[in-house]
Amino acid sequence: MLILVTNDDGIDSPGLQALADQLQLMGRVVVVAPDRERSAIGHALTLHAPLRANAVGEDRWAVSGTPTDAVNLGIHGLLKQKPDLVVSGINKGSNMGDDLTYSGTVAAAMEATLMGVPALAISLASESFQYDDFSEAARIACTLAKSVLEHGLPADTFINVNVPAGAPRGIRVTRQGKRVYADAVVQNQDPRGRSYYWIGAGELGFQNLEGTDFHAVNNDFVSVTPLHLDLTNYAAIDRLRQWQFEPMLNDTKDNGAGDDQ
Ligand SMILES: [Mg+2]
């Protein structure tokens, strides 16, 4: 059993350590993680700069790139065989609802999915930055990793796990919920009198809809959401087809020809 562990909080994060320690009970764990915090980096891939991978211990690599780089480089370059599983986390802070599109933790699992390796992303959904007891989340990661390996995931699918702080009441399979973002930009002045701005500083809310990741975690359940990479809104396809783009294109052509004459 070969498990690749990564994260977006950086290789020195206690969440990564707790996860790697627990997964070691299942097999060989190779950590390939960013050499510094890269939270909210999304699915960024470094294509225009060299990457370094420094061996910082046995089966432990610090990569000078993003979580996606770490998974890509790990699978294609550093490991001699394809891993059986990629686990990303344990992130400090939740990754639910629309936040998933920003998450480096989730993107690392996406990258593994693109490479045909089963993956799960796991986050500790604590609002408090002081709360850093990852032990329960690490134990849950191990349980879910075993389930993934036992049952296999549907094609192009990975799972996103959010663990509430404290002792969870159980596990719920959920759908992606809806964030309510505060439209707040903090503007201030630097010591040289120039304006600077801070985005994402406002209070975050969420729609407390039953069946969602937010609802589960808010009720002290572990949330397990199956995700896939196809972002198509299938329900909207027919509606867009009714817009009849082609006659519009012909109109544009006619107008263009008219202009030339
Ligand atoms: Mg993070």
Side-chain angles (χ1 to χ4, degrees):
M1 178 65 58
L2 177 61
I3 304 170
L4 190 157
V5 168
T6 192
N7 74 346
D8 76 356
D9 291 341
I11 193 147
D12 295 322
S13 138
L16 177 96
Q17 192 59 50
L19 179 63
D21 288 348
Q22 192 70 34
L23 289 172
Q24 248 152 18
L25 303 174
M26 290 173 60
R28 181 181 163 210
V29 170
V30 179
V31 173
V32 185
D35 60 5
R36 71 202 78 169
E37 171 151 8
R38 305 304 295 268
S39 291
I41 197 80
H43 200 186
L45 188 63
T46 303
L47 294 178
H48 303 290
L51 288 172
R52 307 279 182 194
N54 290 320
V56 290
E58 200 190 338
D59 281 341
R60 207 173 165 84
W61 299 88
V63 174
S64 64
T66 67
T68 295
D69 293 333
V71 171
N72 195 299
L73 182 61
I75 292 176
H76 284 324
L78 301 173
L79 298 180
K80 303 287 179 256
Q81 64 182 95
K82 211 171 179 181
D84 299 289
L85 184 71
V86 169
V87 185
S88 177
I90 301 165
N91 190 63
K92 194 165 183 175
S94 69
N95 277 304
M96 301 190 283
D98 304 290
D99 292 353
L100 302 191
T101 57
Y102 299 109
S103 169
T105 307
V106 171
M110 281 184 190
E111 188 67 4
T113 307
L114 286 174
M115 297 179 149
V117 179
L120 67 99
I122 182 159
S123 304
L124 181 61
S126 167
E127 297 307 313
S128 162
F129 279 100
Q130 270 72 48
Y131 187 85
D132 61 357
D133 183 356
F134 293 96
S135 56
E136 185 65 18
R139 214 173 54 80
I140 287 162
C142 215
T143 304
L144 293 171
K146 281 178 189 157
S147 295
V148 165
L149 291 167
E150 186 189 335
H151 299 286
L153 288 165
D156 299 322
T157 302
F158 64 101
I159 59 175
N160 181 44
V161 183
N162 282 273
V163 180
R169 292 163 61 195
I171 298 181
R172 290 272 185 271
V173 177
T174 60
R175 68 177 193 274
Q176 191 181 342
K178 196 80 194 138
R179 236 329 161 206
V180 178
Y181 295 106
D183 299 325
V185 173
V186 175
Q187 182 180 356
N188 221 322
Q189 291 222 316
D190 71 19
R192 295 193 172 85
R194 292 182 60 201
S195 287
Y196 69 84
Y197 304 89
W198 212 286
I199 60 171
E203 189 85 5
L204 289 172
F206 60 90
Q207 294 179 9
N208 198 17
L209 302 171
E210 201 153 332
T212 64
D213 44 13
F214 284 119
H215 189 270
V217 167
N218 200 38
N219 287 284
D220 297 324
F221 286 93
V222 176
S223 164
V224 176
T225 313
L227 297 174
H228 62 169
L229 303 185
D230 182 351
L231 300 181
T232 310
N233 180 350
Y234 287 92
I237 287 180
D238 276 346
R239 210 166 131 189
L240 258 71
R241 280 182 180 148
Q242 284 165 15
W243 290 10
Q244 300 188 333
F245 293 112
E246 273 180 37
M248 285 165 64
L249 205 59
N250 290 335
D251 282 354
T252 317
K253 266 189 209 157
D254 292 346
N255 290 340
D259 288 344
D260 284 346
Q261 285 163 1

